[in-house]
Amino acid sequence: MKTTLHSKNKHASGYDFHTLCKVYKDLEPFVFVNSYETQTIDFSNPKAVKALNTALLFAYYHITYWEFSDQNLCPPIPGRVDYIHHLATLLSSSGIKENIQVLDVGTGATCIYPLLGNAVYDWQFLASDVDKDSLENAQVIIDKNRLSDKIKLIFQAEVSQILKGIFNTSDKLSATMCNPPFFKSEAEAIEATTRKLKGLGKPSETLVRNFGGTSNELWYEGGEKAFLHTYLYESSFFKEQCFWFTTLVSNNDHVRSMKVSLKKLGATEVKVIQMTLGNKISRIVAWTFLTKEQQKDWN
């Protein structure tokens, strides 16, 4: 299984279960030695996955509290921090190395990108979501980790909107980031879960998602493509208020239509950054509307 992580990613060589169990005792019951004589967990078990990712946060990112409902999406830390590292590389290549302000679109109950971005690079975050319960949970995590001066939450009242209603006229952001909903409907999400469980050699009758996920996290009317094109369109209203707009794109077929739309909207530069974690291939698409002169004058 191929794993290609950013050179700064701490998890490129696998997991040190001895260290992880030491900092988070609740992981211990899920760790076992497999037929290859290596320690691992059952990645089809949502409780094991949650314990592992909690342990990673505790051990490597100075987080001391990270609780959320089993119904919420449990983000895999190695992949999430990879996005953070790639975004840092992008910002650095544009001369943006300090006073970095990032908007996390759809932060969810776990608030994972702001936690990681602040822990690794001391970035400041605005974080939006359409779900009030998720934001309430995220605020508890922020408060218990004493990060209320670093991470500010914003409720997106309009489910159909992404950036509208979030950006203020005075905002000047280094970047946005987003992990869009993948699916068009619950039925499509269930079908994908069935395929994943089959790949893990597990029966699909129970349809337990090993990374969890609520409706707002997993599907959007029209699916990923519809979400992305709304995001692109709304970004064009804030051309000079953000240097780099970025998003994860699960389906590579969407990249071409994004490039066509961005050209029509007046983007001056579009970058596609490949990401691979295990057998999952994804990519970050980044775009800016700033001219070379505006980019030069940004700082």
Side-chain angles (χ1 to χ4, degrees), residues 2-6 82 86 274-278:
K2 184 183 176 186
T3 301
T4 306
L5 296 173
H6 191 282
D82 225 47
H86 281 294
Q274 296 298 327
M275 292 173 63
T276 306
L277 177 62

Side-chain angles (χ1 to χ4, degrees), residues 13-210:
S13 58
Y15 304 121
D16 178 353
F17 283 101
H18 176 72
T19 297
L20 293 174
C21 290
K22 205 170 177 181
V23 298
Y24 190 63
K25 298 288 186 188
D26 290 356
L27 176 61
E28 283 184 5
F30 300 110
V31 178
F32 65 94
V33 177
N34 64 17
S35 58
Y36 299 99
E37 298 297 315
T38 57
Q39 286 189 313
T40 188
I41 62 165
D42 178 0
F43 283 92
S44 69
N45 181 341
K47 292 188 182 298
V49 168
K50 190 172 180 179
L52 170 61
N53 286 285
T54 303
L56 290 172
L57 284 179
F58 282 28
Y60 299 106
Y61 301 102
H62 318 297
I63 300 301
T64 57
Y65 176 90
W66 197 57
E67 296 289 343
F68 53 94
S69 164
D70 289 342
Q71 298 302 309
N72 290 113
L73 191 70
C74 179
I77 302 307
R80 294 298 188 264
V81 79
D82 225 47
Y83 189 173
I84 295 287
H85 287 307
H86 281 294
L87 181 55
T89 298
L90 177 64
L91 291 171
S92 180
S93 70
S94 302
I96 305 171
K97 299 177 182 179
E98 55 186 27
N99 301 319
I100 291 172
Q101 303 263 355
V102 178
L103 168 64
D104 177 27
V105 177
T107 198
T110 64
C111 198
I112 193 59
Y113 286 126
L115 292 180
L116 292 171
N118 178 259
V120 181
Y121 293 107
D122 197 32
W123 294 347
Q124 300 239 349
F125 276 85
L126 293 174
S128 68
D129 207 285
V130 297
D131 189 293
K132 283 187 176 179
D133 290 339
S134 289
L135 288 177
E136 283 179 14
N137 195 84
Q139 189 62 59
V140 173
I141 292 172
I142 291 165
D143 291 343
K144 286 190 178 285
N145 287 288
R146 298 180 180 178
L147 293 170
S148 56
D149 59 332
K150 299 287 188 178
I151 305 167
K152 305 294 181 189
L153 300 179
I154 307 173
F155 175 58
Q156 172 55 276
E158 296 295 332
V159 177
S160 62
Q161 294 180 355
I162 296 171
L163 298 177
K164 286 181 179 179
I166 298 300
F167 267 86
N168 289 320
T169 52
S170 59
D171 283 338
K172 187 178 179 184
L173 297 171
S174 312
T176 65
M177 61 189 310
C178 180
N179 186 10
F182 297 149
F183 308 112
K184 295 178 183 177
S185 64
E186 182 177 17
E188 193 176 56
I190 288 172
E191 185 183 339
T193 302
T194 304
R195 284 198 304 271
K196 183 189 278 188
L197 287 171
K198 189 176 179 182
L200 290 167
K202 299 292 178 180
S204 59
E205 287 81 7
T206 54
L207 284 177
V208 176
R209 294 191 188 95
N210 57 335

Side-chain angles (χ1 to χ4, degrees), residues 216-232:
N216 288 325
E217 294 167 331
L218 291 172
W219 60 88
Y220 178 86
E221 189 173 349
E224 183 183 61
K225 186 174 182 179
F227 183 96
L228 290 170
H229 282 274
T230 300
Y231 187 13
L232 304 185

